[in-house]
Amino acid sequence: MSDLSNPSIIRIARASGEEALAVPVDLAERVRSLRKEKGWTLEQAAQAAGMARSTLSKIENAQMSPTYDALKKLAVGLGISVPQLFTPPKGGAPAGRLTTTRAGEGEAQVTTTYEHELLAGGLVRKAMLPYRARIRARRFEEFDGWVRHDGEEFLYVLTGVVRLYTEFYAPIEMKRGDSAYYDASMGHNVISLSPEDATILWVTSLA
């Protein structure tokens, strides 16, 4: 018996062009779960998928086997790919973690060049480290060499004007609303070009 004739196996196309084999989940339960994660009613989900409410209801109650066109409509409506309809989310059920940091209540860490306010301190084992930074430095020479660390980093300018220095690129002047994403293992430093200290939001990956 070939893989294609075995109903207990589904082929999933990867971005690399390779194929992976996965044991399918209960499609009816998967679709219902995805809809409820979005907080949608049957009517709302059906409208997003461009199908009749009765059709979606039958799919969720395992009363019909949807065609590929119907699966494609469902995936588009739910904002996922078709293979994701047949594979459980990575890590199983969502953990449901949540924390908030009120303005000015983040943990402060002050250096000669930056004044950091660490955010989301109530969560441990985070995949990202978000923090607000006040840029005190005005010249590159104020740094003791490049800052380098593992992971990737996202920078968003909140106030003022800054200059982002990176090891392999020309300096970039950035103003409020500008952002940058870069490999944090590449040397990088930021200075304020404003008369006042500029402020930025930094998010660093920890994985």
Side-chain angles (χ1 to χ4, degrees), residues 39-96:
W40 286 352
T41 63
L42 269 172
E43 186 67 35
Q44 290 172 320
Q47 288 181 357
M51 62 173 56
R53 180 186 182 281
S54 59
T55 300
L56 179 57
S57 178
K58 289 178 181 178
I59 293 174
E60 287 196 4
N61 288 286
Q63 294 175 352
M64 68 173 289
S65 297
T67 63
Y68 180 77
D69 284 342
L71 290 174
K72 191 160 60 172
K73 287 181 179 180
L74 268 175
V76 171
L78 293 167
I80 61 175
S81 65
V82 172
Q84 286 177 292
L85 285 171
F86 297 94
T87 53
K90 186 177 180 181

Side-chain angles (χ1 to χ4, degrees), residues 187-203:
H188 56 280
N189 292 320
V190 179
I191 68 169
S192 175
L193 298 179
S194 306
E196 69 283 358
D197 293 344
T199 59
I200 64 177
L201 172 68
W202 252 320
V203 181

